[in-house]
Amino acid sequence: MPSSVETLEFQAETRQLLRLVIHSIYSNKDIFLRELISNASDALDKLRLESLTGSLAGVDISDLHISLEVDSDARTLTVRDNGIGMTRDDLVELIGTIAKSGTAGLLEKIKESKDAATTESLIGQFGVGFYSAFMVADKVTVHTRRAGTDSGTQWESDGEGSYTIQAADDLPVGTSVTLHLKPADSEDGLADYLSESKIRQIVKRYSDFIRWPIRMATDRTDADDNATSDLDTLNSMKALWARPRSEVTEHEYNEFYQQISHDWLPPAETIHMRAEGTFEYEALLFIPSQAPFDLYSRESKSGVQLYVKRVFIMDDCEALMPNYLRFVKGVVDAHDLSLNVSRELLQHDRQIQGVRRRLVKKVLGALKDMQAKDAERYAKVWDQFGRALKEGLLEDTDNTEALLELVSAASTHDPAKTTTLREYVERMKDGQDTIYYLTGETRAMVENSPHMEAFAAKGYEVLILTDPIDEVWVDQVPAFDGHRLQSIAKGQVDLDESADGDKETDGDKAQREQDFAALLPWLTTTLSDHVKQVRLSSRLTTSAACIVGDAHDVTPTLEKMYRAMGQQMPTVKRILELNPTHPLVTALRTAHHADAEAPALKETAELIYGSALLAEGGDLPDPARFTRLLTDHLTRTL
């Protein structure tokens, strides 16, 4: 007697959902095979677990595998596994999920979603990824038999409004899903899924690291034109991150890194970690030896791939790694995510945010260990990625202290070596509580700046910061280890001693202020188009003048950067400081006292301001006028 066929009608809202799945939900139709292989892998995992701990103890699990079978004549592709299989009730419960209650709520969420990626993730949450098969197939047939039972079941549907279920005899344990494929249609994104090369490409991209072998019979022709058929395993199954670190060789790590990064050099550091508990995942991360060419371009992307139970989900997963660590390459394999989770949902997932925090701390910790144990190797890594790491001081306030420990900078202490902030603090003079720095375009420009004179004369170490980002992060970070960071080109600097090492008395200061009481206001008025104040300096020893900013002023270099990016910036007037012991300044004071209305005095004031501007690498407001004034003054001296 033939078995009876039971036909079940989908509800109206379910038919609507099916149409969405088939025609508009998935932007990439290739993932149907990822979904089916993942389901098969789950079935194999369940059988293995049951054979070890459950009612199926003793079942043969010596050759668990997934098979892909192509029938070009019938235009079918079958995904077969010898896993745990399903009963009739399992079919209705698992594959028939789409017909269960809650579909209306899913439809409402789909209507509310703004992009295809979010919609795909909703589908995944409701467990209906199986139905992505209808994107590429006119009909889907499932044959399955649960391990430990004698009878099997057939499920079949064309995805139009109903499905049939009936008993099926003589089925092996496991499940086969047969897709009756639609014709290839490049305009609709339908590839030729009977093509061996296309199947290999999809398996390699999405399912290469699944633990079970994925096999497919392939036809070959030998030298004598004899046709043969070989059974090939399409996936490598080499998920290094799932193996204990003690079982993985350095060669295997390097080979895997080069595979995912396309870098011919070995990594500078390998980070292998596993997290267990409420949210389980494994991570295998690499810090490269050299920066990619596009590290600082707008097109640069994160280097971390996301897998779910060894199934590839996405490249460049920004949710797992902050932008300033975009150079880190590797894999994170989560156990408890939907296969169709979207980038948008990952950004707001609390568990993923927890993973991100742990990964960041692990990477920063690995860099700190490298810095402590292998300074030479760390110096090379900092040279390649230091600029990116300093971006973290602007983006990641939670890890500011850890990032500051990693900062390495040139300084006046040693022209050949960089220093850390920790080393700077350890070398600070008795009584010094400030970390001094100066920013500029080049080391030579910074070292020759007039601002350096008193610090060099009195033996104070100054950090030399020449990265463009240095102009920004030093203003965002108030202190390191309790020591304030201060630019020697900003604010008042009082080293509280003269150039020869003797402390200046209050009486000396008062007398000096009295001597220049008339000149300073006159200069401030004369140069009011360029400066907001003229005052005496304690930071100069050989130069006549320098230009400084107030403590919270934007630096000229940063102002240029903002303007280059198209941002309108108000002109910031700065402060002209004079060296009270310089012959030119004392001569100007004497001349002003003798005749404050002498025309040459204003010209001399302009020349002093222009010279100070040039000394710090600034741009003259009127180069032609400055050149003429300088020529006239030189002529009069001859």
Side-chain angles (χ1 to χ4, degrees):
M1 292 289 292
S3 60
S4 59
V5 178
E6 185 178 3
T7 301
L8 303 177
E9 293 289 331
F10 290 129
Q11 298 175 350
E13 60 189 15
T14 307
R15 289 197 295 271
Q16 179 184 352
L17 181 57
L18 269 171
R19 284 194 295 271
L20 284 170
V21 173
I22 296 168
H23 299 295
S24 60
I25 295 295
Y26 291 97
S27 56
N28 178 10
K29 292 181 169 57
D30 289 356
I31 65 170
F32 83 92
L33 190 54
R34 180 195 76 178
E35 298 281 345
L36 298 181
I37 290 175
S38 180
N39 290 345
S41 177
D42 287 343
L44 295 172
D45 288 338
K46 290 174 183 176
L47 180 60
R48 180 179 179 275
L49 182 62
E50 286 289 321
S51 71
L52 297 174
T53 63
S55 59
L56 299 176
V59 170
D60 182 14
I61 57 170
S62 60
D63 187 29
L64 297 180
H65 63 276
I66 301 166
S67 297
L68 304 181
E69 302 166 5
V70 172
D71 187 333
S72 298
D73 295 332
R75 288 198 56 77
T76 62
L77 172 63
T78 299
V79 180
R80 186 186 306 276
D81 68 74
N82 57 348
I84 198 164
M86 292 176 281
T87 64
R88 178 196 177 282
D89 292 341
D90 290 336
L91 274 171
V92 175
E93 175 68 19
L94 299 175
I95 296 184
T97 301
I98 200 167
K100 292 175 64 178
S101 62
T103 307
L106 173 58
L107 284 172
E108 188 63 31
K109 289 188 177 183
I110 289 176
K111 291 176 183 177
E112 294 172 358
S113 69
K114 302 297 183 182
D115 60 85
T118 302
T119 306
E120 285 188 26
S121 71
L122 292 171
I123 291 293
Q125 288 177 9
F126 276 74
V128 293
F130 166 82
Y131 280 84
S132 62
F134 286 106
M135 295 188 301
V136 300
D138 293 317
K139 182 172 68 175
V140 177
T141 304
V142 178
H143 290 97
T144 184
R145 177 183 150 207
R146 169 84 182 191
T149 66
D150 296 325
S151 61
T153 309
Q154 173 182 302
W155 180 100
E156 190 169 83
S157 177
D158 58 9
E160 290 298 327
S162 65
Y163 58 92
T164 63
I165 291 184
Q166 66 183 92
D169 298 327
D170 301 324
L171 293 181
V173 169
T175 302
S176 68
V177 181
T178 300
L179 284 66
H180 302 263
L181 295 170
K182 300 175 182 178
D185 184 349
S186 58
E187 292 186 1
D188 194 33
L190 279 170
D192 179 9
Y193 295 112
L194 296 172
S195 163
E196 177 187 333
S197 61
K198 182 62 178 178
I199 293 172
R200 286 179 179 273
Q201 174 194 341
I202 297 173
V203 171
K204 185 69 176 176
R205 176 167 177 77
Y206 292 106
S207 308
D208 191 48
F209 301 117
I210 281 180
R211 73 166 72 185
W212 310 111
I214 303 171
R215 300 170 182 165
M216 183 172 68
T218 56
D219 295 330
R220 298 285 184 269
T221 303
D222 61 20
D224 299 324
D225 290 334
N226 296 319
T228 61
S229 181
D230 297 324
L231 196 62
D232 288 352
T233 298
L234 306 185
N235 59 322
S236 70
M237 298 174 285
K238 293 181 179 179
L240 296 188
W241 60 83
R243 293 161 53 187
R245 181 160 193 158
S246 59
E247 297 179 7
V248 185
T249 66
E250 183 179 358
H251 175 73
E252 288 177 306
Y253 279 134
N254 293 347
E255 189 177 55
F256 180 72
Y257 164 73
Q258 291 169 347
Q259 174 189 337
I260 64 172
S261 67
H262 309 293
D263 186 2
W264 59 276
L265 291 174
E269 186 65 35
T270 299
I271 302 168
H272 194 163
M273 59 184 291
R274 178 192 301 269
E276 298 178 344
T278 56
F279 189 82
E280 296 186 4
Y281 65 91
E282 292 106 13
L284 180 54
L285 306 176
F286 301 94
I287 299 173
S289 299
Q290 69 177 12
F293 71 93
D294 63 345
L295 180 62
Y296 300 107
S297 72
R298 291 184 178 181
E299 290 73 28
S300 180
K301 297 180 179 179
S302 170
V304 176
Q305 300 174 350
L306 175 64
Y307 282 72
V308 173
K309 290 186 286 190
R310 301 196 188 185
V311 178
F312 174 77
I313 302 302
M314 67 179 71
D315 271 321
D316 315 320
C317 187
E318 301 96 336
L320 289 170
M321 199 65 66
N323 186 58
Y324 72 90
L325 292 178
R326 58 190 175 276
F327 58 86
V328 175
K329 306 295 182 184
V331 168
V332 173
D333 189 356
H335 294 192
D336 304 305
L337 289 176
S338 160
L339 289 182
N340 298 307
V341 67
S342 72
R343 293 182 185 273
E344 181 180 348
L345 286 183
L346 283 175
Q347 294 288 353
H348 301 95
D349 187 280
R350 291 180 62 186
Q351 291 177 317
I352 288 295
Q353 292 305 306
V355 173
R356 175 188 172 116
R357 286 192 294 271
R358 288 189 286 273
L359 293 180
V360 169
K361 289 188 181 300
K362 199 72 174 180
V363 171
L364 297 183
L367 288 169
K368 181 62 179 173
D369 288 344
M370 187 192 304
Q371 183 189 58
K373 298 175 181 177
D374 193 340
E376 183 177 349
R377 182 161 58 105
Y378 178 75
K380 294 178 180 177
V381 170
W382 179 262
D383 181 61
Q384 294 292 314
F385 305 110
R387 181 178 162 194
L389 285 165
K390 284 186 282 191
E391 293 174 17
L393 293 168
L394 308 177
E395 303 170 7
D396 189 358
T397 55
D398 291 339
N399 290 294
T400 296
E401 289 302 319
L403 286 163
L404 285 174
E405 291 282 0
L406 296 175
V407 168
S408 185
S411 89
T412 55
H413 174 70
D414 188 334
K417 291 176 60 178
T418 59
T419 184
T420 65
L421 296 181
R422 178 67 58 194
E423 290 168 337
Y424 180 103
V425 169
E426 291 172 353
R427 290 192 298 266
M428 282 171 42
K429 299 181 69 170
D430 291 341
Q432 180 184 348
D433 61 358
T434 301
I435 298 173
Y436 296 112
Y437 70 86
L438 183 60
T439 60
E441 294 184 11
T442 65
R443 177 173 186 134
M445 185 178 293
V446 172
E447 285 182 323
N448 294 319
S449 169
H451 302 100
M452 281 283 194
E453 293 174 3
F455 290 86
K458 299 172 185 180
Y460 283 88
E461 181 178 355
V462 179
L463 298 178
I464 300 172
L465 306 178
T466 55
D467 271 345
I469 194 171
D470 291 333
E471 297 283 350
V472 186
W473 75 260
V474 288
D475 285 334
Q476 301 295 318
V477 177
F480 169 75
D481 195 27
H483 300 282
R484 182 171 59 92
L485 277 72
Q486 179 179 345
S487 169
I488 65 171
K490 282 187 177 184
Q492 291 276 12
V493 172
D494 187 4
L495 300 182
D496 201 29
E497 56 184 57
S498 63
D500 58 10
D502 296 328
K503 288 190 176 183
E504 190 175 38
T505 66
D506 292 339
D508 292 336
K509 289 181 181 180
Q511 182 60 50
R512 189 179 64 186
E513 293 293 338
Q514 182 179 347
D515 292 342
F516 285 87
L519 178 64
L520 297 181
W522 177 83
L523 281 172
T524 299
T525 302
T526 301
L527 297 173
S528 60
D529 288 344
H530 307 297
V531 301
K532 58 185 172 184
Q533 183 186 1
V534 179
R535 68 191 183 197
L536 298 180
S537 177
S538 62
R539 69 186 94 211
L540 297 173
T541 59
T542 58
S543 296
C546 68
I547 299 176
V548 301
D550 269 338
H552 302 292
D553 280 352
V554 174
T555 65
T557 303
L558 187 57
E559 188 176 339
K560 289 180 185 177
M561 290 169 55
Y562 283 134
R563 293 186 191 279
M565 293 186 291
Q567 297 189 32
Q568 295 300 319
M569 294 289 296
T571 300
V572 178
K573 290 185 180 180
R574 299 165 71 209
I575 300 166
L576 179 66
E577 287 193 352
L578 301 179
N579 179 356
T581 64
H582 194 279
L584 175 59
V585 175
T586 56
L588 179 63
R589 183 194 67 188
T590 302
H592 177 265
H593 179 72
D595 183 3
E597 301 300 324
L601 291 182
K602 289 186 177 181
E603 294 180 354
T604 302
E606 286 188 53
L607 287 173
I608 290 175
Y609 168 74
S611 300
L613 196 59
L614 288 174
E616 69 166 12
D619 298 324
L620 293 169
D622 190 345
R625 175 175 172 79
F626 179 84
T627 303
R628 180 176 58 80
L629 292 177
L630 181 60
T631 302
D632 291 346
H633 274 251
L634 290 174
T635 301
R636 287 197 294 268
T637 63
L638 297 175

